[in-house]
């Protein structure tokens, strides 16, 4: 059976060289690396029993290579953080849309935002490769672990950054592209080096996190208005307790990496807790502002107040008892706050038609109130004129008809008889 069965590869070999000694020559070693196993025939020649297709090797290598670089690019881009940025930008786009949401524009805005965020995070890791190598939380990233080279990471960051900005410029508008490019520069070249200089980096990072929803609003509306500042304000104040909890939990790791966080010089954690609580309380009026400015309905005001009280309660608990357990609870509360807040904004948002109806109703109410006020004023004028006439003419005797017209029909004015 082994003698009579030949694979396609063995037939190809023998068709190229019918000499049986070919397989016994020194070139057997090169074939042996690809084709296994062999069997020995009765005539002393080696025949191929089973072969492995070389194309399967190349396809498998390609799949493994794609998986390797895909995993590296995801870690280099901080995929989960970039997806959060995309979610805030998409929410801003929906809020900035009118009665009809342009889903094509939403897709391109999210795609461009994702690329720019991936570029900013990649540049961040390029600049912090030495710091990441000292921290347990980051030493397994692609650059410190040696899975990617710095030129490779720079090429990737530059490519996706330029592509994302170009997509926003072509598919959205130049305002959105400008916000994306400025945010990339602010994150990579201001916030990143500032982390090793001064604790104010947390507030600069909060500004960076507040720009993506503004980018989405600008991509949808073509401009930046006061109503578009509600979600950026929420993101700015939300990031402070979020990062304060993270900095308190990982302060030893941050100190080993050389980062200047507020918790680094705050051994008791009191200042960290106060800052977290104060910025949590700043979130409370945002729900009422969103309702008062006509962005959402009244239900969002109630839901936002309850949600903000929950994160404020977690921050207050951390302020009273500054332990890692309380800090972790505040961190988890901050993780819950943002998606629920953004979902509430989308669910309870007021469209242009609804705003127009509310405005029309208010205008009609004003008109009715003004007309009723005019009627009352006219009645007062008539009464004053009648009194003036009575005073000038004395008090004349009323005819029986006058009394009859008052009693059965009190809503009719009584006739006035002036003395001649």
């Amino acid at each position: 059976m082994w003698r009579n069965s030949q694979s396609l590869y063995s037939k190809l070999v023998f068709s190229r060289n019918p000499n049986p000694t070919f397989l016994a020559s020194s070139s057997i070693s090169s074939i042996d690396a690809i084709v296994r196993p062999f069997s020995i025939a009765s005539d002393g020649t080696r025949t191929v029993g089973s072969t492995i297709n070389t194309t399967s090797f190349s396809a498998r290598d390609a799949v493994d290579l794609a998986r390797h670089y895909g995993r590296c690019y995801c870690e280099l881009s901080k995929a989960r953080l970039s997806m959060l940025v995309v979610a805030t930008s998409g929410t801003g786009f929906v809020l900035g849309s009118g009665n009809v949401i342009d889903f094509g524009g939403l897709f391109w805005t999210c795609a461009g935002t994702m690329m720019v965020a991936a570029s900013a995070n990649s540049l961040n890791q390029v600049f912090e490769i030495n710091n990441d190598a000292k921290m347990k939380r980051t030493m397994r990233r692609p650059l410190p672990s040696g899975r990617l080279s710095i030129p490779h990471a720079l090429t990737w960051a530059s490519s996706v950054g330029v592509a994302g900005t170009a997509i926003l410029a072509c598919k959205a508008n130049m305002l959105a592209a400008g916000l994306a490019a400025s945010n990339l520069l602010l994150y990579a070249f201001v916030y990143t080096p500032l982390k090793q200089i001064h604790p104010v980096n947390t507030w600069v990072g909060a500004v960076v996190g507040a720009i993506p929803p503004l980018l989405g609003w600008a991509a949808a509306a073509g401009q930046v208005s006061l109503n578009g500042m509600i979600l950026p304000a929420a993101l700015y104040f939300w990031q402070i307790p979020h990062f304060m909890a993270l900095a308190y939990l990982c302060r030893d790791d941050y100190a080993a990496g050389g980062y200047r966080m507020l918790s680094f010089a705050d051994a008791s954690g009191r200042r960290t807790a106060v800052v977290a609580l104060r910025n949590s309380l700043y979130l409370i009026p945002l729900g009422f502002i969103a309702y008062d400015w006509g962005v959402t309905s009244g239900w969002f005001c109630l839901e936002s107040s309850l949600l903000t009280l929950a994160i404020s309660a977690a921050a207050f608990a951390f302020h009273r008892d500054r332990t890692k357990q309380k800090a972790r609870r505040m961190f988890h509360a901050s993780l819950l706050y943002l998606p629920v807040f953004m979902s509430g904004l989308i669910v309870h948002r007021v469209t242009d038609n609804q705003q127009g109806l509310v405005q029309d109703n208010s205008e009609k109410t004003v008109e009715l109130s003004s007309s009723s006020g005019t009627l009352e004023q006219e009645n007062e004028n008539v009464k004053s004129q009648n009194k003036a006439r009575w005073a000038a003419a004395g008090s004349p005797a009323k005819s029986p008809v006058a009394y009859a017209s008052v009693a059965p029909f009190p809503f009719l004015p009584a006739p006035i008889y002036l003395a001649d």
Side-chain angles (χ1 to χ4, degrees), residues 249-296:
L249 291 171
C250 305
R251 57 180 175 179
D252 294 335
D253 218 13
Y254 279 125
Y259 296 118
R260 299 290 180 180
M261 299 298 174
L262 183 64
S263 59
F264 179 72
D266 184 23
S268 63
R270 182 180 177 277
R271 292 179 60 192
T272 304
V274 168
V275 171
L277 178 60
R278 182 171 64 240
N279 285 270
S280 298
L281 295 175
Y282 290 158
L283 293 168
I284 294 178
L286 292 180
F288 175 76
I289 293 174
Y291 166 67
D292 186 61
W293 291 358
V295 179
T296 62

Side-chain angles (χ1 to χ4, degrees), residues 340-356:
V340 176
F341 185 85
M342 293 192 300
S343 300
L345 280 174
I346 293 176
V347 171
H348 298 293
R349 78 183 186 100
V350 178
T351 61
D352 292 342
N353 289 339
Q354 293 172 334
Q355 290 179 358

Side-chain angles (χ1 to χ4, degrees), residues 63-80 82 114 117-119 121-123 125-126 132 138-150 152-154 156-157 160:
V63 170
D64 292 341
L65 196 65
R67 287 178 179 174
H68 169 74
Y69 282 113
R71 191 180 297 111
C72 290
Y73 290 150
C74 285
E75 295 179 18
L76 195 65
S77 305
K78 299 179 183 177
R80 289 185 295 179
S82 297
M114 182 70 182
S119 175
N121 290 323
S122 300
L123 290 174
Q125 293 192 42
V126 169
D132 288 345
T138 58
M139 62 174 52
R140 293 182 180 86
R141 286 177 175 175
L143 292 178
S145 62
R147 287 180 288 158
L148 282 182
S149 63
I150 293 180
H152 192 144
L154 285 173
W156 159 258
V160 295

Side-chain angles (χ1 to χ4, degrees), residues 14 41 49 56 106 150 154 182 185 273 288 310 342 345 387 402:
F14 281 108
S56 66
L106 176 62
I150 293 180
L154 285 173
S182 61
L185 296 176
F288 175 76
M342 293 192 300
L345 280 174
K387 289 180 180 179

Side-chain angles (χ1 to χ4, degrees), residues 34 46-47 55 62 66 83 95 98 112 115 133 171 177 183 185 197 205 209 218 237 309 319 331 335 341 363 377:
I34 301 177
R46 301 178 70 186
T47 59
T55 57
M83 288 300 297
L95 293 176
M115 291 183 178
K171 298 296 184 178
N183 207 29
L185 296 176
I197 299 174
F237 294 126
L309 288 176
H319 179 265
F331 180 75
L335 291 178
F341 185 85
E363 290 176 355
Q377 185 66 30

